[in-house]
């Protein structure tokens, strides 16, 4: 079974530039999550989708971050404009349902903002 | 909300046993997860506890005491490949969201 795919693996940008990350969840998984993991910290949930609808985006800085999952499968997370404090690993995870036990994670995109 | 605490670092010798503790405070508990994360890789699921007691899975075991807000992950017969960060995560009863601790970096030495 293929896992959660993310791209790119690494991205370096300058502050005020924009960047986008892509995630392809495990086939059949209705729920998709984006997490931000700052060095030395645990993952923090940014946004959760159920199919193509947003379930929770309370921790998403909406003035600069946006995410979509138009067809209920792939998802993109965008940052515009980026700030230095956005340097982190952005992890995508998926699960079969919202109340399912296990979230499966992708390897993440490591973003460095200079 | 959740407040999750776990030690920052632990070091142990190959073949030994290490116990990683996790304490939590939550407004609504719906399970505790342990994930393993090697540097630069995805967190991978290790164990899930929702009832009190010990869950054993090969060399890894996880324990939960809901009344004490306490869990531990026990790694036996340590191998070099066990060097990684171990994340404790608590799921909220109302919205099923996971809240993660900062992780415990385990270093296994020969």
């Amino acid at each position: 079974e293929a896992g959660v795919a993310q791209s790119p693996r690494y991205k370096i940008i300058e502050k005020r530039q924009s960047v986008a990350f892509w995630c392809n969840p495990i086939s059949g998984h209705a729920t998709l999550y984006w997490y931000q993991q700052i060095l030395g910290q645990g993952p923090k949930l940014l946004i959760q989708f159920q199919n193509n609808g947003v379930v929770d985006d309370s921790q998403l800085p909406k003035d600069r971050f946006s995410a979509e999952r138009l067809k209920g499968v792939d998802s993109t997370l965008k940052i515009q404009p980026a700030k230095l404090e956005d340097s982190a690993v952005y992890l995508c995870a998926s699960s079969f349902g919202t109340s399912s036990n296990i979230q499966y994670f992708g390897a993440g995109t490591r973003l460095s903002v200079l | 909300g959740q407040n999750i605490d776990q030690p920052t670092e632990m070091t142990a010798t190959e073949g030994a046993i290490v116990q990683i503790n996790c304490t939590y405070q939550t407004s609504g508990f719906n399970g505790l997860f342990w994930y393993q994360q090697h540097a630069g890789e995805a967190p991978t699921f290790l164990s899930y506890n929702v009832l009190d007691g010990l869950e054993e899975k090969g060399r890894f075991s996880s324990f939960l005491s809901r009344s004490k807000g306490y869990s531990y992950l026990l790694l036996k017969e340590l191998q070099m490949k066990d060097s990684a960060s171990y994340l404790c995560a608590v799921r909220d009863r109302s919205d099923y969201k996971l809240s993660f601790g900062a992780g415990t970096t385990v270093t296994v030495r020969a």
Side-chain angles (χ1 to χ4, degrees), chain A residues 9 37 42 56 100-101 103 106, chain B residues 33 35 37 40 42 91 97 101-102:
Chain A
R9 286 299 314 274
Q37 186 175 23
D56 187 326
S100 291
N101 286 348
Q103 294 184 22
Chain B
F33 296 77
Y35 281 82
Q37 187 177 26
R91 187 167 66 184
K97 284 169 57 176

Side-chain angles (χ1 to χ4, degrees), chain B residues 1-3 25-28 92 99:
Chain B
Q2 323 278 8
N3 186 22
Q25 295 174 314
T26 177
S27 53
D92 188 276
S99 294

Side-chain angles (χ1 to χ4, degrees), chain A residues 13-34:
Chain A
I13 62 172
E14 295 186 350
K15 60 182 178 183
R16 291 189 288 274
Q17 286 187 323
S18 62
V19 64
F21 314 126
W22 174 81
C23 172
N24 181 242
I26 292 172
S27 178
H29 279 193
T31 310
L32 185 147
Y33 313 79
W34 283 102

Side-chain angles (χ1 to χ4, degrees), chain A residues 9 35 37 40-43 45 56 58 98-103 105-107, chain B residues 33 35 37 40-43 45 48 87 91 95-98 100-103:
Chain A
R9 286 299 314 274
Y35 288 86
Q37 186 175 23
Q41 300 181 18
L45 181 67
D56 187 326
S58 58
T98 301
S99 59
S100 291
N101 286 348
I102 303 170
Q103 294 184 22
F105 285 82
Chain B
F33 296 77
Y35 281 82
Q37 187 177 26
E41 297 183 12
F45 169 77
Y48 167 68
L87 298 164
R91 187 167 66 184
D95 57 16
Y96 300 103
K97 284 169 57 176
L98 283 185
F100 285 84

Side-chain angles (χ1 to χ4, degrees), chain A residues 3-6 23 89-94 104-109, chain B residues 37 41-43:
Chain A
V4 177
Q6 290 190 246
C23 172
V89 176
Y90 291 85
L91 294 164
C92 179
S94 70
Y104 296 89
F105 285 82
T109 297
Chain B
Q37 187 177 26
E41 297 183 12

Side-chain angles (χ1 to χ4, degrees), chain B residues 50-107:
Chain B
V50 66
L51 299 176
D52 291 351
L54 187 67
E55 294 282 341
E56 296 186 86
K57 192 184 295 185
R59 294 188 299 112
F60 293 2
S61 303
S62 57
F63 172 83
L64 175 67
S65 169
R66 288 171 295 170
S67 63
K68 295 181 179 178
Y70 169 70
S71 172
Y72 68 72
L73 179 69
L74 194 69
L75 285 62
K76 294 179 281 189
E77 301 171 17
L78 279 173
Q79 302 175 10
M80 300 299 286
K81 67 179 182 179
D82 297 330
S83 292
S85 178
Y86 292 84
L87 298 164
C88 173
V90 174
R91 187 167 66 184
D92 188 276
R93 183 174 58 205
S94 62
D95 57 16
Y96 300 103
K97 284 169 57 176
L98 283 185
S99 294
F100 285 84
T104 299
T105 300
V106 172
T107 302

Side-chain angles (χ1 to χ4, degrees), chain A:
Chain A
E1 176 181 279
V4 177
Q6 290 190 246
S7 68
R9 286 299 314 274
Y10 305 93
K11 190 74 178 178
I12 300 174
I13 62 172
E14 295 186 350
K15 60 182 178 183
R16 291 189 288 274
Q17 286 187 323
S18 62
V19 64
F21 314 126
W22 174 81
C23 172
N24 181 242
I26 292 172
S27 178
H29 279 193
T31 310
L32 185 147
Y33 313 79
W34 283 102
Y35 288 86
Q36 180 192 59
Q37 186 175 23
I38 293 172
L39 186 65
Q41 300 181 18
K44 184 187 82 171
L45 181 67
L46 292 175
I47 188 167
Q48 176 184 339
F49 291 93
Q50 179 73 15
N51 296 309
N52 61 348
V54 175
V55 173
D56 187 326
D57 63 358
S58 58
Q59 297 297 305
L60 189 73
K62 298 180 188 62
D63 58 332
R64 299 183 300 106
F65 286 63
S66 64
E68 60 183 14
R69 194 185 183 200
L70 293 176
K71 296 182 180 179
V73 181
D74 292 6
S75 177
T76 55
L77 176 69
K78 297 179 181 178
I79 307 175
Q80 182 179 11
K83 291 185 175 181
L84 297 177
E85 58 260 37
D86 298 332
S87 294
V89 176
Y90 291 85
L91 294 164
C92 179
S94 70
S95 64
F96 186 73
T98 301
S99 59
S100 291
N101 286 348
I102 303 170
Q103 294 184 22
Y104 296 89
F105 285 82
T109 297
R110 182 175 297 276
L111 174 68
S112 296
V113 183
L114 306 178

